[in-house]
């Protein structure tokens, strides 16, 4: 990502102009295509990090950007999403019968375009405010919730004649929260920059994250959110970035110590719906078990028609994880065979499989009910 500094300001401004222009064309097309649909939900609001960022970081001063090729190579152009194509929430929107959700900071996100949802996710963001600060600017989860509050007050209220109608609209909308990975890879597992691992043990840190997240979810609830989807963190010990740091041959295929830390967080996150459904009247929560699904894709890639499960399609060094995808770098040609696009993120085909199994009628990776059931309620 530091190589982005090599671009001249003129080139970066030209690139941003092109991305904005293509966003205007593409998201306008998506909204036109969805007008005759009968969506499962009125709107889809997304909170999270680079796994679901649809381009917000294009508009802030940060090293955590993906607004250059080969990112977006299979989408048609780089949107700012950290993928070769669609992300898991892009497919989630499609399953809901909604258009692709535009980034909150995009010029596209004005007027009636906001009525079907907005994406507030920001690469390098975490549950904790300090997470990812070494990348520069990013919108933390607290900041994203503040943006959602501003959306309600300044952009949504004018479309509703009375507060009751607005409350009903928000209650029928889907709120997706996919965050927590950076609190490990860009905080707890980076002891040279952050002190969290020196202060907390693995269990205590997971408790801190869940306690903080619970308060943030309560804040969303107080703003009117009722149907919320909590995505578990994936097996970070299996991503190329972490594999590249392991000395010698990694016989297990993943870094067990890191995956154990993530499991401590996920087990507590899975229990949250039981607590929140009782303490926040009228709320509906589901937990998406991304960990087990993605781990199965890594361990048994052939089940999904995949071949390469431990190497990035676009990256450098061991496993393609020592250096993430660089501007204009030549990626692998057989991207549909790879689990990982870059050092940290899944390929479009992997996202498609994840979405198919979580944003669906299946309860295998969704607890306590399916995403489809949540949307229909």
């Amino acid at each position: 990502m530091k190589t982005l500094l090599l671009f001249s300001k003129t080139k970066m401004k030209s690139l941003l102009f092109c991305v904005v222009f293509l966003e205007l064309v593409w998201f306008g097309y998506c909204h036109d295509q969805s007008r005759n649909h009968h969506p499962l939900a009125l709107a889809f609001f997304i909170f999270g990090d680079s796994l679901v960022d649809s381009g917000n970081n294009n508009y802030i001063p940060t090293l955590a950007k993906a607004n250059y090729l080969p990112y977006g190579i299979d989408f048609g152009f780089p949107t700012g999403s950290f993928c070769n194509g669609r992300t898991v929430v892009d497919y989630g929107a499609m399953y809901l019968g909604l258009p692709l959700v535009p980034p909150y900071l995009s010029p596209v996100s004005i007027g009636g375009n906001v009525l079907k949802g907005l994406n507030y996710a920001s690469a390098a963001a975490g549950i904790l405010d300090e997470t990812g600060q070494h990348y520069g600017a990013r919108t933390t989860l607290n900041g994203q919730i503040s943006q959602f509050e501003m959306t309600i007050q300044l952009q949504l209220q004018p479309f509703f004649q009375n507060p009751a109608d607005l409350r009903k609209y928000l209650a029928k909308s889907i709120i997706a929260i996919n965050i927590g990975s950076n609190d490990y890879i860009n905080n707890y597992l980076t002891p040279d920059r952050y002190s969290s691992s020196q202060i907390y043990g693995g269990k205590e840190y997971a408790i801190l994250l869940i306690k903080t997240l619970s308060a943030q979810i309560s804040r969303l609830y107080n703003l009117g959110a009722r149907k919320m989807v909590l995505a578990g963190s994936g097996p970070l010990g299996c991503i190329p970035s972490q594999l590249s740091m392991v000395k010698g041959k990694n016989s297990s295929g993943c870094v067990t110590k890191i995956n154990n830390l993530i499991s401590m967080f996920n087990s507590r996150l899975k229990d949250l719906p039981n607590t929140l459904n009782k303490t926040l009247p009228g709320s509906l929560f589901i937990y998406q078990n991304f960990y087990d699904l993605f781990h199965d894709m890594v361990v048994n890639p052939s089940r999904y028609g995949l071949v390469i499960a431990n190497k990035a399609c676009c990256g450098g060094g061991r496993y393609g994880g020592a250096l993430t995808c660089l501007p204009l770098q030549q990626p692998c040609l057989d991207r549909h065979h790879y689990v990982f696009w870059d050092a940290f993120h899944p390929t479009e085909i992997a996202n498609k499989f994840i979405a198919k199994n979580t944003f669906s009628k299946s309860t295998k990776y969704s607890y306590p009910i399916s995403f489809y059931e949540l949307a229909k309620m």
Side-chain angles (χ1 to χ4, degrees), residues 155-200:
Q155 295 179 275
L156 291 175
Q157 280 186 356
F159 288 98
F160 297 89
Q161 293 184 351
N162 58 69
D165 290 337
L166 176 57
R167 287 195 297 270
K168 184 178 179 180
Y169 160 84
L170 291 170
K172 291 291 184 179
S173 299
I174 299 290
I175 311 295
I177 304 170
N178 189 329
I179 202 163
S181 295
N182 283 318
D183 292 292
Y184 285 94
I185 58 178
N186 287 312
N187 191 328
Y188 195 78
L189 296 174
T190 314
D192 56 323
R193 295 180 182 273
Y194 301 90
S195 61
S196 54
S197 61
Q198 300 163 32
I199 300 173
Y200 304 99

Short mmCIF file of all heavy atoms in Angstrom, two decimals, residues 155-200:
data_model
loop_
_atom_site.label_atom_id
_atom_site.label_comp_id
_atom_site.label_asym_id
_atom_site.label_seq_id
_atom_site.Cartn_x
_atom_site.Cartn_y
_atom_site.Cartn_z
N GLN A 155 -30.59 13.07 5.45
CA GLN A 155 -30.92 12.55 4.13
C GLN A 155 -32.22 11.75 4.08
O GLN A 155 -32.92 11.78 3.08
CB GLN A 155 -29.76 11.68 3.61
CG GLN A 155 -28.48 12.46 3.36
CD GLN A 155 -27.35 11.57 2.87
OE1 GLN A 155 -26.64 10.95 3.66
NE2 GLN A 155 -27.19 11.49 1.56
N LEU A 156 -32.54 11.02 5.14
CA LEU A 156 -33.72 10.16 5.12
C LEU A 156 -34.99 10.87 5.60
O LEU A 156 -36.07 10.67 5.03
CB LEU A 156 -33.47 8.90 5.96
CG LEU A 156 -32.45 7.90 5.39
CD1 LEU A 156 -32.22 6.77 6.36
CD2 LEU A 156 -32.92 7.36 4.04
N GLN A 157 -34.87 11.67 6.63
CA GLN A 157 -36.06 12.31 7.20
C GLN A 157 -36.92 13.07 6.18
O GLN A 157 -38.16 13.00 6.23
CB GLN A 157 -35.66 13.24 8.35
CG GLN A 157 -35.41 12.52 9.65
CD GLN A 157 -35.16 13.47 10.82
OE1 GLN A 157 -35.10 14.69 10.64
NE2 GLN A 157 -35.00 12.91 12.00
N PRO A 158 -36.32 13.78 5.23
CA PRO A 158 -37.14 14.52 4.26
C PRO A 158 -38.05 13.64 3.40
O PRO A 158 -39.03 14.15 2.84
CB PRO A 158 -36.10 15.24 3.39
CG PRO A 158 -34.90 15.38 4.27
CD PRO A 158 -34.89 14.12 5.08
N PHE A 159 -37.77 12.35 3.32
CA PHE A 159 -38.58 11.46 2.49
C PHE A 159 -39.79 10.89 3.24
O PHE A 159 -40.61 10.18 2.66
CB PHE A 159 -37.73 10.30 1.97
CG PHE A 159 -36.75 10.70 0.91
CD1 PHE A 159 -35.42 10.95 1.23
CD2 PHE A 159 -37.15 10.85 -0.42
CE1 PHE A 159 -34.51 11.34 0.26
CE2 PHE A 159 -36.24 11.23 -1.40
CZ PHE A 159 -34.92 11.48 -1.06
N PHE A 160 -39.91 11.18 4.53
CA PHE A 160 -40.98 10.61 5.33
C PHE A 160 -41.82 11.72 5.96
O PHE A 160 -41.28 12.68 6.52
CB PHE A 160 -40.41 9.69 6.41
CG PHE A 160 -39.68 8.50 5.83
CD1 PHE A 160 -38.32 8.58 5.53
CD2 PHE A 160 -40.35 7.32 5.56
CE1 PHE A 160 -37.64 7.50 4.99
CE2 PHE A 160 -39.68 6.22 5.01
CZ PHE A 160 -38.33 6.33 4.72
N GLN A 161 -43.13 11.58 5.88
CA GLN A 161 -44.04 12.63 6.35
C GLN A 161 -44.07 12.73 7.87
O GLN A 161 -44.31 13.80 8.42
CB GLN A 161 -45.44 12.37 5.82
CG GLN A 161 -45.57 12.53 4.31
CD GLN A 161 -46.99 12.36 3.83
OE1 GLN A 161 -47.88 11.96 4.60
NE2 GLN A 161 -47.24 12.68 2.57
N ASN A 162 -43.83 11.60 8.55
CA ASN A 162 -43.83 11.65 10.00
C ASN A 162 -42.80 10.67 10.56
O ASN A 162 -42.38 9.73 9.87
CB ASN A 162 -45.23 11.33 10.56
CG ASN A 162 -45.72 9.97 10.11
OD1 ASN A 162 -45.19 8.94 10.54
ND2 ASN A 162 -46.74 9.95 9.25
N PRO A 163 -42.37 10.88 11.80
CA PRO A 163 -41.33 10.03 12.42
C PRO A 163 -41.70 8.55 12.47
O PRO A 163 -40.82 7.69 12.38
CB PRO A 163 -41.22 10.61 13.83
CG PRO A 163 -41.66 12.02 13.69
CD PRO A 163 -42.76 11.99 12.67
N ALA A 164 -42.99 8.23 12.59
CA ALA A 164 -43.41 6.83 12.67
C ALA A 164 -43.09 6.09 11.38
O ALA A 164 -42.68 4.92 11.41
CB ALA A 164 -44.91 6.76 12.96
N ASP A 165 -43.28 6.74 10.24
CA ASP A 165 -42.97 6.11 8.95
C ASP A 165 -41.47 5.86 8.82
O ASP A 165 -41.05 4.83 8.29
CB ASP A 165 -43.45 7.00 7.80
CG ASP A 165 -44.96 7.05 7.69
OD1 ASP A 165 -45.62 6.10 8.18
OD2 ASP A 165 -45.49 8.01 7.11
N LEU A 166 -40.66 6.79 9.28
CA LEU A 166 -39.21 6.62 9.24
C LEU A 166 -38.78 5.47 10.15
O LEU A 166 -37.93 4.65 9.77
CB LEU A 166 -38.52 7.92 9.66
CG LEU A 166 -36.99 7.87 9.76
CD1 LEU A 166 -36.37 7.45 8.43
CD2 LEU A 166 -36.45 9.23 10.20
N ARG A 167 -39.38 5.39 11.33
CA ARG A 167 -39.05 4.30 12.25
C ARG A 167 -39.41 2.95 11.64
O ARG A 167 -38.66 1.97 11.78
CB ARG A 167 -39.78 4.50 13.59
CG ARG A 167 -39.20 5.61 14.45
CD ARG A 167 -39.72 5.52 15.88
NE ARG A 167 -41.17 5.69 15.96
CZ ARG A 167 -41.76 6.87 16.13
NH1 ARG A 167 -41.04 7.98 16.21
NH2 ARG A 167 -43.07 6.94 16.21
N LYS A 168 -40.55 2.88 10.97
CA LYS A 168 -40.97 1.64 10.32
C LYS A 168 -40.00 1.25 9.21
O LYS A 168 -39.66 0.07 9.06
CB LYS A 168 -42.38 1.80 9.76
CG LYS A 168 -42.96 0.53 9.15
CD LYS A 168 -44.39 0.76 8.67
CE LYS A 168 -44.96 -0.51 8.05
NZ LYS A 168 -46.36 -0.30 7.57
N TYR A 169 -39.58 2.22 8.43
CA TYR A 169 -38.62 1.98 7.35
C TYR A 169 -37.31 1.42 7.90
O TYR A 169 -36.77 0.44 7.39
CB TYR A 169 -38.38 3.29 6.60
CG TYR A 169 -37.11 3.34 5.79
CD1 TYR A 169 -37.04 2.83 4.50
CD2 TYR A 169 -35.95 3.93 6.31
CE1 TYR A 169 -35.87 2.89 3.76
CE2 TYR A 169 -34.78 4.01 5.59
CZ TYR A 169 -34.75 3.48 4.31
OH TYR A 169 -33.58 3.54 3.57
N LEU A 170 -36.78 2.04 8.95
CA LEU A 170 -35.52 1.59 9.55
C LEU A 170 -35.67 0.20 10.15
O LEU A 170 -34.76 -0.64 10.04
CB LEU A 170 -35.06 2.58 10.63
CG LEU A 170 -34.60 3.95 10.13
CD1 LEU A 170 -34.40 4.90 11.30
CD2 LEU A 170 -33.32 3.83 9.31
N ALA A 171 -36.82 -0.07 10.76
CA ALA A 171 -37.06 -1.38 11.37
C ALA A 171 -37.14 -2.50 10.33
O ALA A 171 -36.83 -3.65 10.63
CB ALA A 171 -38.34 -1.34 12.19
N LYS A 172 -37.55 -2.16 9.11
CA LYS A 172 -37.66 -3.15 8.04
C LYS A 172 -36.37 -3.29 7.23
O LYS A 172 -36.25 -4.18 6.39
CB LYS A 172 -38.80 -2.77 7.10
CG LYS A 172 -40.20 -2.90 7.71
CD LYS A 172 -40.55 -4.35 7.94
CE LYS A 172 -41.99 -4.50 8.45
NZ LYS A 172 -42.34 -5.94 8.67
N SER A 173 -35.40 -2.41 7.48
CA SER A 173 -34.13 -2.46 6.77
C SER A 173 -33.19 -3.48 7.41
O SER A 173 -33.33 -3.82 8.58
CB SER A 173 -33.46 -1.07 6.78
OG SER A 173 -34.28 -0.12 6.14
N ILE A 174 -32.23 -3.97 6.62
CA ILE A 174 -31.23 -4.90 7.11
C ILE A 174 -29.95 -4.15 7.43
O ILE A 174 -29.46 -3.37 6.61
CB ILE A 174 -30.93 -6.01 6.08
CG1 ILE A 174 -32.19 -6.83 5.78
CG2 ILE A 174 -29.79 -6.91 6.58
CD1 ILE A 174 -32.65 -7.72 6.92
N ILE A 175 -29.40 -4.39 8.61
CA ILE A 175 -28.15 -3.78 9.04
C ILE A 175 -27.10 -4.89 9.12
O ILE A 175 -27.24 -5.83 9.89
CB ILE A 175 -28.28 -3.12 10.43
CG1 ILE A 175 -29.51 -2.21 10.49
CG2 ILE A 175 -27.00 -2.41 10.80
CD1 ILE A 175 -29.47 -1.02 9.58
N ALA A 176 -26.05 -4.80 8.30
CA ALA A 176 -24.98 -5.81 8.31
C ALA A 176 -23.73 -5.23 8.95
O ALA A 176 -23.30 -4.13 8.61
CB ALA A 176 -24.68 -6.26 6.88
N ILE A 177 -23.17 -5.99 9.89
CA ILE A 177 -21.96 -5.56 10.59
C ILE A 177 -20.89 -6.63 10.40
O ILE A 177 -21.03 -7.76 10.88
CB ILE A 177 -22.23 -5.34 12.09
CG1 ILE A 177 -23.37 -4.34 12.29
CG2 ILE A 177 -20.96 -4.87 12.80
CD1 ILE A 177 -23.87 -4.25 13.72
N ASN A 178 -19.83 -6.28 9.69
CA ASN A 178 -18.74 -7.22 9.42
C ASN A 178 -17.44 -6.53 9.81
O ASN A 178 -16.82 -5.83 9.01
CB ASN A 178 -18.74 -7.59 7.93
CG ASN A 178 -17.78 -8.72 7.62
OD1 ASN A 178 -16.75 -8.87 8.27
ND2 ASN A 178 -18.10 -9.50 6.61
N ILE A 179 -17.03 -6.72 11.04
CA ILE A 179 -15.87 -6.01 11.57
C ILE A 179 -15.24 -6.81 12.70
O ILE A 179 -15.90 -7.65 13.32
CB ILE A 179 -16.28 -4.59 12.05
CG1 ILE A 179 -15.07 -3.65 12.10
CG2 ILE A 179 -17.02 -4.65 13.38
CD1 ILE A 179 -15.44 -2.18 12.17
N GLY A 180 -13.96 -6.56 12.95
CA GLY A 180 -13.25 -7.26 14.02
C GLY A 180 -11.91 -7.81 13.59
O GLY A 180 -10.99 -7.95 14.41
N SER A 181 -11.75 -8.11 12.31
CA SER A 181 -10.50 -8.68 11.82
C SER A 181 -9.32 -7.74 12.04
O SER A 181 -8.23 -8.16 12.45
CB SER A 181 -10.61 -9.01 10.33
OG SER A 181 -11.57 -10.02 10.10
N ASN A 182 -9.53 -6.45 11.77
CA ASN A 182 -8.44 -5.48 11.94
C ASN A 182 -8.05 -5.30 13.40
O ASN A 182 -6.92 -4.90 13.70
CB ASN A 182 -8.83 -4.13 11.34
CG ASN A 182 -8.73 -4.12 9.84
OD1 ASN A 182 -7.79 -4.65 9.26
ND2 ASN A 182 -9.71 -3.53 9.19
N ASP A 183 -8.98 -5.55 14.31
CA ASP A 183 -8.65 -5.44 15.72
C ASP A 183 -7.63 -6.49 16.13
O ASP A 183 -7.01 -6.37 17.19
CB ASP A 183 -9.92 -5.58 16.56
CG ASP A 183 -10.85 -4.40 16.38
OD1 ASP A 183 -10.49 -3.30 16.82
OD2 ASP A 183 -11.93 -4.57 15.76
N TYR A 184 -7.43 -7.47 15.27
CA TYR A 184 -6.37 -8.46 15.47
C TYR A 184 -5.17 -8.17 14.58
O TYR A 184 -4.08 -7.86 15.08
CB TYR A 184 -6.91 -9.87 15.23
CG TYR A 184 -7.79 -10.33 16.37
CD1 TYR A 184 -9.17 -10.17 16.33
CD2 TYR A 184 -7.24 -10.90 17.52
CE1 TYR A 184 -9.97 -10.55 17.39
CE2 TYR A 184 -8.03 -11.30 18.60
CZ TYR A 184 -9.40 -11.12 18.53
OH TYR A 184 -10.18 -11.50 19.59
N ILE A 185 -5.34 -8.22 13.26
CA ILE A 185 -4.17 -8.10 12.37
C ILE A 185 -3.58 -6.70 12.36
O ILE A 185 -2.38 -6.54 12.08
CB ILE A 185 -4.50 -8.57 10.93
CG1 ILE A 185 -5.65 -7.77 10.33
CG2 ILE A 185 -4.79 -10.05 10.90
CD1 ILE A 185 -5.98 -8.16 8.91
N ASN A 186 -4.37 -5.68 12.66
CA ASN A 186 -3.87 -4.31 12.69
C ASN A 186 -3.99 -3.69 14.07
O ASN A 186 -4.23 -2.49 14.22
CB ASN A 186 -4.59 -3.45 11.65
CG ASN A 186 -4.14 -3.77 10.24
OD1 ASN A 186 -2.95 -3.84 9.96
ND2 ASN A 186 -5.11 -3.98 9.35
N ASN A 187 -3.82 -4.55 15.07
CA ASN A 187 -3.79 -4.10 16.46
C ASN A 187 -3.13 -5.16 17.33
O ASN A 187 -1.93 -5.13 17.56
CB ASN A 187 -5.21 -3.77 16.95
CG ASN A 187 -5.23 -3.04 18.28
OD1 ASN A 187 -4.38 -3.24 19.14
ND2 ASN A 187 -6.21 -2.17 18.46
N TYR A 188 -3.90 -6.14 17.76
CA TYR A 188 -3.41 -7.13 18.73
C TYR A 188 -2.21 -7.92 18.22
O TYR A 188 -1.30 -8.24 19.00
CB TYR A 188 -4.54 -8.09 19.08
CG TYR A 188 -4.29 -8.93 20.32
CD1 TYR A 188 -4.45 -8.37 21.59
CD2 TYR A 188 -3.92 -10.26 20.22
CE1 TYR A 188 -4.23 -9.12 22.73
CE2 TYR A 188 -3.70 -11.03 21.36
CZ TYR A 188 -3.86 -10.45 22.61
OH TYR A 188 -3.64 -11.20 23.74
N LEU A 189 -2.18 -8.24 16.93
CA LEU A 189 -1.09 -9.04 16.35
C LEU A 189 0.02 -8.17 15.77
O LEU A 189 0.89 -8.66 15.04
CB LEU A 189 -1.66 -9.96 15.26
CG LEU A 189 -2.66 -11.01 15.75
CD1 LEU A 189 -3.27 -11.76 14.59
CD2 LEU A 189 -1.96 -11.99 16.71
N THR A 190 0.00 -6.88 16.11
CA THR A 190 1.05 -5.95 15.66
C THR A 190 1.65 -5.28 16.89
O THR A 190 1.46 -4.06 17.12
CB THR A 190 0.46 -4.90 14.69
OG1 THR A 190 -0.37 -5.55 13.73
CG2 THR A 190 1.56 -4.15 13.94
N PRO A 191 2.39 -6.04 17.70
CA PRO A 191 2.89 -5.52 18.98
C PRO A 191 3.92 -4.40 18.85
O PRO A 191 4.14 -3.65 19.81
CB PRO A 191 3.51 -6.76 19.64
CG PRO A 191 3.85 -7.67 18.50
CD PRO A 191 2.77 -7.44 17.48
N ASP A 192 4.54 -4.26 17.68
CA ASP A 192 5.51 -3.18 17.51
C ASP A 192 4.83 -1.83 17.35
O ASP A 192 5.47 -0.78 17.48
CB ASP A 192 6.42 -3.45 16.30
CG ASP A 192 5.64 -3.66 15.02
OD1 ASP A 192 4.55 -4.27 15.08
OD2 ASP A 192 6.11 -3.23 13.95
N ARG A 193 3.53 -1.83 17.08
CA ARG A 193 2.77 -0.59 16.91
C ARG A 193 1.70 -0.39 17.98
O ARG A 193 1.31 0.74 18.25
CB ARG A 193 2.10 -0.57 15.53
CG ARG A 193 3.08 -0.53 14.36
CD ARG A 193 2.30 -0.52 13.05
NE ARG A 193 3.16 -0.52 11.88
CZ ARG A 193 3.67 0.57 11.30
NH1 ARG A 193 3.40 1.76 11.82
NH2 ARG A 193 4.45 0.48 10.24
N TYR A 194 1.18 -1.48 18.53
CA TYR A 194 0.07 -1.40 19.48
C TYR A 194 0.41 -2.19 20.74
O TYR A 194 1.05 -3.24 20.68
CB TYR A 194 -1.21 -1.94 18.85
CG TYR A 194 -1.63 -1.21 17.59
CD1 TYR A 194 -1.19 -1.63 16.34
CD2 TYR A 194 -2.46 -0.09 17.65
CE1 TYR A 194 -1.55 -0.96 15.18
CE2 TYR A 194 -2.84 0.58 16.50
CZ TYR A 194 -2.38 0.15 15.26
OH TYR A 194 -2.74 0.81 14.12
N SER A 195 -0.07 -1.71 21.87
CA SER A 195 0.26 -2.32 23.16
C SER A 195 -0.80 -3.30 23.67
O SER A 195 -0.66 -3.86 24.75
CB SER A 195 0.47 -1.22 24.21
OG SER A 195 -0.72 -0.44 24.37
N SER A 196 -1.88 -3.51 22.90
CA SER A 196 -3.01 -4.30 23.38
C SER A 196 -2.62 -5.72 23.80
O SER A 196 -3.13 -6.24 24.80
CB SER A 196 -4.11 -4.37 22.31
OG SER A 196 -3.59 -4.83 21.08
N SER A 197 -1.69 -6.36 23.07
CA SER A 197 -1.30 -7.74 23.41
C SER A 197 -0.47 -7.80 24.68
O SER A 197 -0.33 -8.86 25.29
CB SER A 197 -0.54 -8.37 22.25
OG SER A 197 0.65 -7.65 21.98
N GLN A 198 0.11 -6.65 25.08
CA GLN A 198 0.87 -6.60 26.32
C GLN A 198 -0.03 -6.33 27.52
O GLN A 198 0.33 -6.60 28.66
CB GLN A 198 1.94 -5.51 26.21
CG GLN A 198 2.92 -5.73 25.06
CD GLN A 198 3.70 -4.47 24.72
OE1 GLN A 198 3.99 -3.66 25.59
NE2 GLN A 198 4.03 -4.31 23.44
N ILE A 199 -1.21 -5.78 27.23
CA ILE A 199 -2.14 -5.44 28.31
C ILE A 199 -3.16 -6.56 28.55
O ILE A 199 -3.51 -6.86 29.69
CB ILE A 199 -2.89 -4.13 27.95
CG1 ILE A 199 -1.90 -2.98 27.78
CG2 ILE A 199 -3.94 -3.80 29.00
CD1 ILE A 199 -2.52 -1.70 27.26
N TYR A 200 -3.63 -7.19 27.46
CA TYR A 200 -4.70 -8.19 27.56
C TYR A 200 -4.23 -9.56 27.08
O TYR A 200 -3.48 -9.67 26.10
CB TYR A 200 -5.89 -7.78 26.68
CG TYR A 200 -6.46 -6.42 26.98
CD1 TYR A 200 -6.12 -5.31 26.20
CD2 TYR A 200 -7.35 -6.24 28.04
CE1 TYR A 200 -6.65 -4.06 26.47
CE2 TYR A 200 -7.88 -4.99 28.31
CZ TYR A 200 -7.53 -3.90 27.52
OH TYR A 200 -8.06 -2.67 27.80
#
